[in-house]
Amino acid sequence: MDDHMTLLHDHFLFQGAEEMLHEAQSLGVSRFSRGDTICDPATAGRALGIVLEGRAEAVAPTREKAVLAVFGPGGTFGAAALLNMGTNYMMGEVLLPEELLRQWFQRCPQMAVNYIGFLSSRVRFLNGKIAIFTQDSAQHRLYRWLRANCDEWGRLPEKLSMTKLAGTLSMGRTSLYRAMEELAEAGLIVRDGKRIEVIL
């Protein structure tokens, strides 16, 4: 439980809203098993969820059930009310009902600002994805390859050869590095030395 409170204390929503953090403790933790549905299009708009343990997947409401996003500890879902949420492993989460959030926003404007900042960052992220997918560019080809070859957490092998990757994608190393930089600036990947992580 102490770990849960530490995670919530560091969560964007509760920055400058310590009073609401204490109230969140009384909500309790909901637990789900692998394969359970957390919320669907009929209920997603009624609560904001914060993953405390394990992970959850946002799944497209189609026959293929394509995974659209993965949420680990601290991940926040329910803001879009368009996704069918399914879990992949045993997990715990706290659900913040919409009516409670409205009350908190009225009492603590900083919390509303935190939430608006979160939504704005998601819009920028999606705009970056749209820009990549609407053109047959080096960035698009690179991003498709990275998505196809990363693991379920978005991680790629640390010994990935840039020379071989450039050859695979039929582009020069300079173009490859430029495409990498543009994907990082768009928030679609994270680079830390030789480590590359795809933001799913």
Side-chain angles (χ1 to χ4, degrees):
M1 185 60 69
D2 289 341
D3 291 341
H4 293 172
M5 293 316 300
T6 298
L7 188 149
L8 289 177
H9 182 271
D10 295 336
H11 192 270
F12 74 85
L13 190 63
F14 294 100
Q15 299 305 299
E18 285 73 18
E19 180 182 352
M20 286 66 187
L21 178 62
H22 294 303
E23 293 182 24
Q25 295 182 47
S26 65
L27 295 176
V29 176
S30 300
R31 294 190 175 274
F32 299 86
S33 298
R34 179 173 182 165
D36 288 350
T37 296
I38 299 172
C39 57
D40 57 27
T43 62
R46 299 174 186 171
L48 186 72
I50 301 174
V51 177
L52 301 176
E53 299 174 17
R55 65 187 208 124
E57 296 177 344
V59 182
T62 60
R63 181 178 304 174
E64 292 78 13
K65 301 294 183 184
V67 177
L68 304 178
V70 178
F71 305 92
T76 305
F77 62 84
L82 296 175
L83 305 177
N84 180 28
M85 303 298 304
T87 63
N88 212 17
Y89 297 110
M90 183 68 178
M91 59 172 293
E93 64 172 26
V94 59
L95 291 174
L96 307 176
E98 180 180 322
E99 183 55 36
L100 177 61
L101 284 172
R102 288 176 179 271
Q103 294 173 17
W104 281 354
F105 291 166
Q106 289 178 348
R107 290 166 49 198
C108 181
Q110 181 59 50
M111 181 173 264
V113 171
N114 295 345
Y115 187 62
I116 292 169
F118 167 73
L119 293 178
S120 296
S121 69
R122 298 308 299 165
V123 170
R124 288 193 298 271
F125 173 73
L126 292 174
N127 283 343
K129 273 197 167 184
I130 291 171
I132 295 299
F133 288 136
T134 54
Q135 51 186 322
D136 186 18
S137 61
Q139 303 98 299
H140 188 185
R141 297 202 314 275
L142 174 59
Y143 187 69
R144 281 187 307 197
W145 189 93
L146 295 175
R147 280 295 301 265
N149 290 277
C150 67
D151 65 19
E152 57 186 333
W153 293 282
R155 297 176 304 208
L156 288 146
E158 292 191 15
K159 295 183 179 180
L160 182 65
S161 168
M162 293 295 108
T163 300
K164 291 182 179 179
L165 180 55
T168 298
L169 298 173
S170 300
M171 64 175 72
R173 282 173 57 91
T174 301
S175 297
L176 174 63
Y177 283 112
R178 185 181 308 117
M180 283 276 190
E181 291 176 3
E182 291 171 349
L183 290 179
E185 290 173 1
L188 299 177
I189 66 171
V190 173
R191 297 182 66 195
D192 181 11
K194 293 184 178 181
R195 185 181 66 85
I196 300 172
E197 182 178 337
V198 181
I199 305 302
L200 300 173

